[in-house]
Every structure is written in C-alpha cells, then in structure tokens.
Amino acid sequence: MRIGIFGGTFNPIHFGHLRAVEEVRQAVDLDKVFFIPSGYPALKTWDLEEASHRYRMTAISVKDNPYFEVLDIECRVPGRSYSVDTLSELNAQYPDEEFFFILGIDAFIDLPEWRMPEEIIGLSEFIVISRPQYSFMDVISSPYLNPEAVKEGLLRLDGKETSIFRSSLRSGRSIIFTSLTQMDISATAIRKLLRDGKSVKYLLPQDVESYIISNGLYLARIERGQKPEGGSGLKQQKQSH
Ligand code: ATP
C-alpha cells in the first residue's frame, strides 16, 4: 500500500489540512493517509492544547473518510515527539508499505531545524504541498535538494504550467511537489479568532467547532505562564518535530 503520513500539531485541525490531504491522496494515488497529531512538550506553551484534545478533534474530522486514519503514535506518550522516531517506528511496524511524508512548503523549509533531518529524508518518500503565501521556489535553497534538478519544475508549478512535479531528494528518495486548491487557513488565525470571541464557522468541521466550545479550548491561557498577545507561540510548537 501507498500510505501518506500527515503530521502536525493540529491545534486545531482545519479545512486547510483536510482538503489538502484529500486532494493529495487523489493526485498521488495514495491508498490511505495517517494523520498524526504531535505530542505535548514537557515545557508547556501557552496556546498548545493538550494532545488528547488535538487527537480527538483530528479523530472527529477524519471519521467519515474511509481513506483517513488518525494515529496516536506521537501523542500517546507524554512529552515531545519527533518525526524521525515516528517514521522509524512506522517503517518497523509496516515493513511492506510505501510511506509518503506529506508536508506544506512552510514545514519543508523548516526541516533543517527538526531533529535529525538527514535521517528523516532517508526514511520516506516526500510530498510537498502548496500553501498560501508561499511559492514553490521558496524551497530552492533546501539542503536536501539539488537546485539545478528542481529549479525548472518549481518555476513551472509557480507559473501554474503544471500542478505536479516529481524529482528526488539528495538521499535518493523521491519527492513530489504538488499544487492544490489554496485555502488560506491557519490554526494560528483560528486560535486568535477564538480568543477574540469571533466565529470560526466554515474554517473547520462543525463537530470540531462544537468540541472546542464545549471543552472551552483556546480561551486566553494566562495561567500557562506566557503572554498571549504579541508572540504566536509558533516557534515553540514547530520545534517539536
Ligand atoms: P499553526 O498556525 O498553529 O502553525 P498550521 O495551520 O500551520 O498551524 P500545522 O498543524 O502546523 O497547522 O500543520 C501541519 C501541516 O499542515 C504542515 O505540513 C503545514 O504546512 C500544513 N498546512 C497547514 N495549513 C495548511 C493549509 N491551509 N494549506 C496547506 N497545507 C497546510
């Protein structure tokens, strides 16, 4: 089977994630996609909800899609989770399956800051998906790509001459770049709307919105010790890959 792996903080999961993965599943002919909510770092961040909530919201979101499954591999143990461990564990658990690690352009750019990125790029095939406010050429200086080999394809994607471009990583693994329906939704923006008491309708599934409201998630978290206004808390979350 060809299995997509889509990790994230999913804090909360939204239609930007869900639609992107549904499109990439079809574009790349995946048999299944595992959604993997990240663990919860020991050092609390002020607006990262607990892993159990993020897991449940992800489970609610994927329940009606037979191709989607949520795994608790990263969030069942307390503490920070790392993609390198997740990919190694999945490879060991499913030795006959072919894995495709799905990342937005922003996440692929961040990859050098993750734990053991050189290992990561050897553990799976890769799929990099478009994300509003980023262009594919933003990845040209990635240390895991050969710029001469990818430049023309990335320019064609940015110029909308094609919606898919296949190449390879320096590790020898394949990398597929694909352009999808652009949905300019971020969890950061959703959290801000919720803190400001504004509607998040049509940005995420109705059941997730109900879950957030009934559990009182994403209200101002002064008690977690960091200042809500100004900083996004984003950097701390991104470092948990
Ligand atoms: P935050 O705003 O809290 O950083 P996020 O919306 O970026 O959250 P993550 O859970 O960090 O969501 O993202 C998981 C993955 O989904 C990443 O690879 C990211 O690039 C991708 N992604 C997130 N939002 C979108 C979107 N609107 N379109 C395409 N890809 C997205």
Side-chain angles (χ1 to χ4, degrees):
M1 276 206 298
R2 292 160 62 84
I3 304 179
I5 298 173
F6 189 56
T9 48
F10 303 137
N11 183 41
I13 191 160
H14 52 70
F15 283 137
H17 299 125
L18 293 160
R19 179 66 203 170
V21 177
E22 179 66 353
E23 288 189 21
V24 84
R25 174 185 76 73
Q26 291 202 300
V28 179
D29 201 19
L30 299 174
D31 299 297
K32 196 172 247 312
V33 179
F34 291 156
F35 283 68
I36 306 184
S38 67
Y40 192 78
L43 185 68
K44 293 191 177 187
T45 57
W46 67 269
D47 69 349
L48 179 64
E49 287 295 349
E50 280 174 23
S52 59
H53 284 309
R54 292 181 287 108
Y55 174 85
R56 268 184 242 131
M57 290 189 280
T58 308
I60 290 169
S61 304
V62 305
K63 70 177 185 312
D64 294 327
N65 189 325
Y67 296 99
F68 291 178
E69 200 175 311
V70 56
L71 300 191
D72 65 358
I73 183 171
E74 293 195 358
C75 59
R76 69 182 164 223
V77 284
R80 193 160 281 213
S81 51
Y82 296 100
S83 299
V84 64
D85 300 329
T86 304
L87 288 170
S88 303
E89 199 174 326
L90 287 173
N91 277 317
Q93 208 177 330
Y94 303 95
D96 300 328
E97 313 301 357
E98 194 179 3
F99 287 113
F100 295 79
F101 195 43
I102 304 168
L103 292 168
I105 293 175
D106 56 320
F108 186 72
I109 292 169
D110 277 351
L111 191 57
E113 287 163 38
W114 295 16
R115 186 164 184 250
M116 301 171 74
E118 300 284 346
E119 292 269 320
I120 293 177
I121 58 161
L123 287 170
S124 171
E125 315 309 319
F126 270 65
I127 301 173
V128 176
I129 58 176
S130 53
R131 181 149 193 196
Q133 302 177 35
Y134 290 85
S135 66
F136 281 100
M137 274 299 276
D138 292 339
V139 306
I140 191 79
S141 49
S142 164
Y144 315 116
L145 297 171
N146 172 356
E148 283 87 63
V150 294
K151 187 172 178 191
E152 200 188 316
L154 298 178
L155 285 170
R156 292 183 69 226
L157 283 163
D158 284 338
K160 311 254 178 285
E161 290 164 49
T162 186
S163 62
I164 193 157
F165 166 58
R166 293 165 201 270
S167 187
S168 44
L169 288 158
R170 287 194 192 276
S171 65
R173 293 288 196 153
S174 64
I175 183 162
I176 300 169
F177 299 91
T178 183
S179 190
L180 310 168
T181 302
Q182 301 286 287
M183 297 183 74
D184 197 358
I185 303 174
S186 73
T188 304
I190 291 174
R191 293 193 299 275
K192 176 152 184 10
L193 288 170
L194 289 162
R195 278 200 309 277
D196 293 348
K198 296 199 174 131
S199 166
V200 291
K201 222 171 252 312
Y202 314 123
L203 293 174
L204 37 65
Q206 172 70 56
D207 290 351
V208 174
E209 185 193 349
S210 305
Y211 184 94
I212 289 171
I213 292 166
S214 57
N215 287 280
L217 307 186
Y218 304 112
L219 303 171
R221 298 265 164 191
I222 311 288
E223 72 275 18
R224 284 194 185 168
Q226 291 183 31
K227 193 172 179 282
E229 292 312 322
S232 67
L234 201 62
K235 199 65 197 165
Q236 267 175 297
Q237 289 178 33
K238 296 276 186 211
Q239 283 169 352
S240 65
H241 295 289

